[in-house]
Amino acid sequence: MTIASLAQDTIAAGMPLAELYHYLFVAGVLFGLGVIGFLARRNLIIMFLCTEMMFQAAGITLIAFSKYHFNPDGEVFVIFVLTIAAAEAALALALVVLLFRRKETLDASAWAMLKG
Amino acid sequence: MQELASNLMNITTLLGASGGESLFTYQESSGGPGWLGLIPVLPAIAALICLLLLFLARKGMASGKSRGPAYLVLGFLALSFILTLSGFLMWNGQGKPAWIVTLFDWINITWNSGDGEQSLIANFGFYFDGLSFLWMLFVTFLGSMICLYASEYMSGDKGYARFFAAFGLFVASMSCLVLGDNLVMLYLGWEGVGLCSYMLIGYFYTKPEAVAAAKKAFIVNRIGDLGLALGLYLIYTTFGTVQYDELFRAVAERTDAAGSPLDFATMWQSWAIPCLLMIGAFGKSAQFPLYVWLPDAMEGPTPVSALIHAATMVTAGVYMIARMFPLFLMDPDLHALHAVAWIGTFTALLAATIGMAQFDIKRIMAYSTVSQLGYMFAGLGFLTTTGGAYHVFTHAFFKATLFLACGAVMHGFAGQLDLRKLSGLWSQPGWRITSVAMLVGCINLAGLPLTAGYFSKDMILAEAFYTPDSLIHFSGLMGWILLFTAGLTAYYTFRVFFRVFVGPEHYEPGDEAYDHDSDETGEESHHPVEEHGDHHADHFHPHPPGWAINLVLSVLAIGSILAAIPYFVSDGNDKSKGWVGDMLYSSSAFYKSPAGHADKHGNETAVLVPADPVVLPASFADEPAAAGAAKGKVPAADAWPVRDQVEAGSILGMDPHKAMYYISAVFGLIGILIAAYLHGPKGPAGLFIGNRTQAATSRADALLPKLGPLPRWAQNKWYVDEFYEATIRLPLWVFANIFHAIDKLLIDGALVDGISSLPKAFARSIRPLQSGVLHSYAAGMAAGLGIILLVVWVFSL
């Protein structure tokens, strides 16, 4: 079952437009893009943005399940996560700036000397 | 039960009849005045204070600029001597049972309470009887004297306080050894003197020879100490006690401490215990297989050689055998005493031959010490504890005199000890007292008639012939060997005197002084140190001894002469053997020869008594038999093989006690005459038969080549050290290297390093994963996620 056929089936079946698996689909796509971006790019800022994308994918999943189960815990959890993510983003960007100052580059492979 | 009691009564009656002649007398001990306990404590306190001074590092006190530490230790030692002397006078006035003074309970363990109760009791107590008083009198007296000598001799030395700390500790340990009222105390003192000896031999710790000599002394002594330790353990397992009074009572009654009878004639311990103790004595008293440490110990400062390695510590072995003499008599065949006699005789001869060929005068004295210790052991072996103890007593004085005189020479001539490089000290200014002291020491050592050394040596020699062959086999042969050795002794002693102290005046300074036992401080110092950069004979000034050394030499020389008096003084307990015999009479060392007893003029013919060394409490002799039986303390006399009556020995058909006066004098005089002929200078100083005109050469030089390799062998100490090197040290060295290799390769290499390398190798194999490339980690995580999804998917199908 391909993703395209899944979407077609959904529409053809005349189901309500946003079922649970739509949300999960979006989250999966978002996460996959994040992973691909993280693996493909070498720029530290882009890689950081990619991790944020994976993060948000997980958030969407949580909210979707929260709605599905009529349980607000997931939403509450996501709000907490977003708050912490904001702080963490500030920290991470500061680190990136420091790393940049040290090597005058944003290439992640410049820090490959940190090996075992 | 009743039958047994009546049997015992009969036996007691029988023994009571002949019981007056028991060989070993056990006497009840009683408590003595408590202040006697201070005798060993005072030197220990002095040592502690010296140690404190050392740590407080008061420069003046620690560097020898002040003689404070010396006078401090001297004061405590002198006090200790005064206490000993007054204690002796008090004790001597009373009925002479042993006094026991207990300072505190030390070891007191009991187990298996009730049935089969066992205990180990060793109090920190002191045992005062004739034997220990005799030893303590000369130990504390000579200790004080030599301390005074050392106060001058050691002045200017950096380790002044260290020296006197060890000195005080030595006297404390020696007192503990001699006075201890149990075998554990004896062992404590025994190890203590060994330790102090080690510290003092290695006193000049920057000198490699001194350090090597210290190690040698300590290690050789370990071998003997092992024998002693095993002997003590065996005594404890056999008799169940280590306390002297209980032990001697048990031996006297032929039971163990708990009272169950022991059969001395058949049990193996009766020869094993004395043999093990004997090995300990050989180590400490430098007897044949273990004597090699003593000559090397001369690397220590001379006062140490005099006190520890001539006068006191080396006599500890003699003391121990004398103290344990009842145990040596347990064996009906007296195996251990035969060995003691033979080893002593052999050592006396061997050391005398080596001493004859040495050129270092201090070393000659060292070998003469070994040789004289051999005499003492031979005396013990000939069953004359009195002779052995008396020779210890006289030897302590004259050997201290000799050593201290040698030390004064060494001190004054910048470490020169070679008798070829010194001559005519008698007529050099400031050396008269030293020379006279040396002469007094020499005539004693050589056994010139009417000197103390002559009487004490005669006592041993006479007893060699007097002791019947059936008791100690070939004692007569040993006596002749010892007589011959007496001649050699006279020769090598007077060789030193004729070469160094009389004759043409000549000296060459030694090369080693002014670096350690520097003479240049102290009150007789006249030259600043810088002037002594090098010492050519031209501007070297010998440096005669100061008041302290002269005073000590005079006192000891007089003491050496006066040491003959005890031979003539007796209060009647053991008339024939003088004061020392009296002293030993009231101790465990007393032994009454089964050959009967002629007095010292040999008037009384040999009284033949049964040779059964019945060891019977003295009190039983007068006690009614029934009382003794009731106490259940009756020896099983029938278990002992009663020897036949023994005939006293003789020498050339004469009574040895009479004849020995002349025979030994002849041997001594011949030795002296040979020394005078070979080494004496012209004129009266060489007894009119010498012709030496130079320091370095004498008639002996022409004679030596005719003797073949013997003089060279003797000078090289009969290659005993080399023999030990090849047979003991080399194999040990090879083994040590083999074990080292095994340790290095197998234990360390294969096992320890091998096992520890496994985690390392594993780590190395997976370390590339930690590449440092961020994307590879991310890829790994993504791949892991993919795998998990795959697995979930597969399982959900």
Side-chain angles (χ1 to χ4, degrees):
Chain A
M1 186 197 288
T2 65
I3 291 169
S5 65
L6 185 81
Q8 269 178 351
D9 290 352
T10 311
I11 293 161
M15 287 177 201
L17 208 58
E19 287 288 333
L20 172 66
Y21 60 85
H22 294 107
Y23 292 101
L24 294 185
F25 178 76
V26 169
V29 168
L30 203 57
F31 189 84
L33 285 173
V35 169
I36 292 165
F38 192 86
L39 288 176
R41 304 299 295 266
R42 294 192 172 273
N43 186 310
L44 279 171
I45 294 178
I46 303 294
M47 286 168 79
F48 179 62
L49 290 176
C50 291
T51 61
E52 288 298 318
M53 279 169 71
M54 290 186 265
F55 220 18
Q56 301 316 319
I60 290 171
T61 318
L62 275 168
I63 292 171
F65 277 110
S66 170
K67 282 286 179 201
Y68 183 73
H69 290 296
F70 300 105
N71 184 342
D73 286 1
E75 287 169 55
V76 174
F77 193 70
V78 167
I79 289 176
F80 272 103
V81 166
L82 282 176
T83 318
I84 293 167
E88 168 248 305
L91 198 67
L93 282 170
L95 277 173
V96 169
V97 169
L98 284 177
L99 291 173
F100 177 79
R101 282 191 188 156
R102 191 62 70 84
K103 294 238 168 176
E104 292 290 327
T105 173
L106 285 171
D107 190 345
S109 58
W111 295 96
M113 88 266 263
L114 296 173
K115 62 184 175 187
Chain B
M1 220 30 225
Q2 268 181 345
E3 197 179 335
L4 182 68
S6 74
N7 275 346
L8 290 175
M9 244 161 72
N10 288 339
I11 292 167
T12 319
T13 321
L14 282 174
L15 288 170
S18 63
E21 296 291 351
S22 64
L23 294 184
F24 157 62
T25 324
Y26 172 78
Q27 284 181 316
E28 292 283 348
S29 51
S30 65
W35 49 265
L36 283 174
L38 282 175
I39 294 171
V41 174
L42 286 173
I45 294 174
L48 270 179
I49 297 176
C50 272
L51 206 65
L52 277 180
L53 286 180
L54 208 60
F55 281 120
L56 294 178
R58 276 187 56 192
K59 276 247 163 188
M61 292 296 253
S63 69
K65 280 172 193 136
S66 150
R67 292 187 180 181
Y71 293 143
L72 176 90
V73 175
L74 175 62
F76 276 88
L77 290 188
L79 196 57
S80 197
F81 169 65
I82 292 166
L83 288 183
T84 312
L85 189 64
S86 30
F88 165 68
L89 292 175
M90 273 178 70
W91 172 82
N92 205 31
Q94 300 178 3
K96 295 195 178 181
W99 279 346
I100 293 182
V101 177
T102 304
L103 286 193
F104 54 87
D105 282 2
W106 183 27
I107 299 172
N108 193 343
I109 315 167
T110 310
W111 64 98
N112 283 351
S113 59
D115 204 24
E117 182 172 284
Q118 281 178 295
S119 63
L120 175 59
I121 299 170
N123 292 330
F124 211 87
F126 303 113
Y127 194 76
F128 293 89
D129 65 354
L131 188 66
S132 48
F133 267 124
L134 176 70
W135 243 263
M136 281 318 293
L137 282 171
F138 74 77
V139 166
T140 49
F141 177 71
L142 289 176
S144 320
M145 280 291 122
I146 294 171
C147 188
L148 177 60
Y149 177 96
S151 72
E152 178 179 332
Y153 188 90
M154 299 305 293
S155 65
D157 199 275
K158 283 197 194 87
Y160 201 67
R162 177 164 60 91
F163 177 86
F164 285 97
F167 198 97
L169 188 62
F170 168 76
V171 179
S173 309
M174 189 70 197
S175 313
C176 174
L177 190 164
V178 171
L179 289 177
D181 86 331
N182 56 64
L183 292 164
V184 181
M185 290 285 285
L186 175 111
Y187 195 73
L188 181 72
W190 191 274
E191 295 301 323
V193 293
L195 172 70
C196 295
S197 158
Y198 169 80
M199 293 196 291
L200 288 167
I201 298 171
Y203 175 76
F204 300 122
Y205 57 83
T206 51
K207 215 169 125 193
E209 305 89 47
V211 175
K215 276 196 291 189
K216 188 173 179 180
F218 203 66
I219 291 167
V220 173
N221 265 303
R222 293 265 73 68
I223 301 169
D225 292 354
L226 177 67
L228 179 70
L230 291 177
L232 301 194
Y233 181 68
L234 197 55
I235 288 176
Y236 177 68
T237 54
T238 308
F239 292 102
T241 182
V242 291
Q243 310 218 81
Y244 286 161
D245 53 347
E246 279 186 27
L247 178 65
F248 296 141
R249 168 177 280 277
V251 174
E253 291 162 7
R254 285 190 221 146
T255 59
D256 63 12
S260 34
L262 294 172
D263 184 7
F264 287 173
T266 54
M267 67 182 192
W268 60 275
Q269 286 96 332
S270 61
W271 58 265
I273 290 174
C275 283
L276 287 168
L277 294 179
M278 173 185 89
I279 292 169
F282 286 168
K284 192 60 83 195
S285 291
Q287 291 303 290
F288 164 60
L290 305 177
Y291 74 95
V292 287
W293 64 270
L294 199 143
D296 287 15
M298 298 304 127
E299 292 296 341
T302 305
V304 170
S305 308
L307 178 69
I308 299 185
H309 305 118
T312 60
M313 184 188 86
V314 289
T315 65
V318 182
Y319 169 81
M320 192 265 285
I321 292 184
R323 171 62 80 204
M324 293 289 130
F325 215 64
L327 294 158
F328 278 76
L329 296 175
M330 292 193 306
D331 180 4
D333 297 324
L334 303 177
H335 286 110
L337 286 177
H338 278 87
V340 168
W342 272 112
I343 294 281
T345 307
F346 179 66
T347 309
L349 179 65
L350 181 81
T353 54
I354 298 174
M356 285 166 67
Q358 301 299 310
F359 292 103
D360 180 324
I361 55 176
K362 202 171 152 188
R363 217 156 258 269
I364 294 173
M365 291 312 150
Y367 279 105
S368 83
T369 304
V370 176
S371 179
Q372 298 302 307
L373 287 165
Y375 274 95
M376 297 164 202
F377 273 78
L380 295 173
F382 302 144
L383 302 167
T384 169
T385 45
T386 311
Y390 187 37
H391 201 50
V392 165
F393 184 75
T394 58
H395 176 261
F397 283 93
F398 69 71
K399 189 51 65 66
T401 314
L402 285 169
F403 260 111
L404 295 181
C406 287
V409 172
M410 184 185 184
H411 191 60
F413 289 94
Q416 184 60 269
L417 284 170
D418 192 326
L419 56 76
R420 291 166 297 190
K421 294 179 178 164
L422 293 167
S423 179
L425 258 54
W426 186 278
S427 32
Q428 291 182 25
W431 288 99
R432 187 57 58 84
I433 293 177
T434 312
S435 304
V436 173
M438 189 75 181
L439 179 61
V440 169
C442 283
I443 58 175
N444 272 289
L445 179 55
L448 207 70
L450 303 180
T451 58
Y454 166 77
F455 289 123
S456 59
K457 201 186 279 182
D458 275 10
M459 208 183 261
I460 292 169
L461 291 172
E463 213 69 26
F465 295 99
Y466 194 70
T467 302
D469 234 23
S470 54
L471 269 184
I472 300 292
H473 307 302
F474 301 109
S475 63
L477 174 61
M478 289 185 255
W480 283 113
I481 295 174
L482 288 175
L483 268 174
F484 175 66
T485 307
L488 301 183
T489 309
Y491 167 76
Y492 70 68
T493 311
F494 272 87
R495 172 169 171 257
V496 172
F497 188 78
F498 285 132
R499 291 295 287 254
V500 175
F501 290 90
V502 290
E505 287 176 42
H506 176 84
Y507 58 80
E508 293 170 34
D511 46 4
E512 63 164 26
Y514 305 111
D515 52 352
H516 49 83
D517 50 345
S518 168
D519 321 50
E520 296 313 316
T521 44
E523 51 254 61
E524 65 284 339
S525 134
H526 307 298
H527 323 284
V529 178
E530 308 86 65
E531 283 182 15
H532 285 266
D534 58 356
H535 309 283
H536 299 299
D538 311 338
H539 49 80
F540 169 80
H541 300 291
H543 162 45
W547 69 269
I549 289 182
N550 279 335
L551 175 70
V552 171
L553 284 175
S554 320
V555 170
L556 288 183
I558 293 167
S560 306
I561 295 169
L562 296 185
I565 292 178
Y567 188 71
F568 302 101
V569 181
S570 168
D571 61 7
N573 280 327
D574 189 12
K575 275 203 180 93
S576 66
K577 293 193 175 148
W579 177 71
V580 176
D582 290 340
M583 294 289 273
L584 262 60
Y585 184 81
S586 331
S587 79
S588 62
F590 179 69
Y591 173 77
K592 181 127 168 90
S593 169
H597 225 68
D599 69 10
K600 70 182 165 218
H601 305 295
N603 291 330
E604 192 182 320
T605 49
V607 180
L608 302 178
V609 296
D612 174 14
V614 166
V615 277
L616 186 70
S619 49
F620 296 165
D622 341 286
E623 241 175 79
K631 282 187 190 169
K633 288 172 188 166
V634 179
D638 50 354
W640 193 262
V642 176
R643 285 192 203 91
D644 289 331
Q645 294 181 332
V646 284
E647 200 86 47
S650 66
I651 176 170
L652 306 174
M654 291 176 283
D655 174 25
H657 287 104
K658 246 191 283 186
M660 195 50 67
Y661 288 118
Y662 312 108
I663 296 172
S664 81
V666 167
F667 274 90
L669 285 173
I670 289 175
I672 293 172
L673 289 177
I674 293 175
Y677 178 76
L678 291 178
H679 300 285
K682 275 191 173 138
L687 307 179
F688 302 106
I689 53 174
N691 74 341
R692 185 170 63 87
T693 51
Q694 283 169 308
T697 54
S698 73
R699 271 187 189 144
D701 299 332
L703 180 67
L704 286 181
K706 293 177 192 158
L707 294 175
L710 284 180
R712 188 162 45 85
W713 290 355
Q715 194 188 344
N716 287 309
K717 309 165 222 163
W718 300 112
Y719 300 99
V720 171
D721 278 334
E722 284 76 6
F723 177 73
Y724 286 168
E725 175 86 26
T727 57
I728 295 167
R729 197 167 165 263
L730 186 69
L732 282 176
W733 184 83
V734 168
F735 273 119
N737 275 293
I738 291 173
F739 290 139
H740 178 69
I742 289 175
D743 179 47
K744 201 92 185 160
L745 296 176
L746 189 72
I747 311 286
D748 260 11
L751 291 176
V752 176
D753 287 351
I755 290 172
S756 76
S757 69
L758 288 181
K760 225 176 181 177
F762 178 66
R764 194 176 298 121
S765 70
I766 59 167
R767 206 161 62 190
L769 290 177
Q770 196 91 0
S771 64
V773 181
L774 201 51
H775 291 92
S776 69
Y777 304 154
M781 282 160 72
L785 184 66
I787 289 168
I788 289 170
L789 286 177
L790 195 68
V791 168
V792 169
W793 180 65
V794 166
F795 278 93
S796 63
L797 278 181

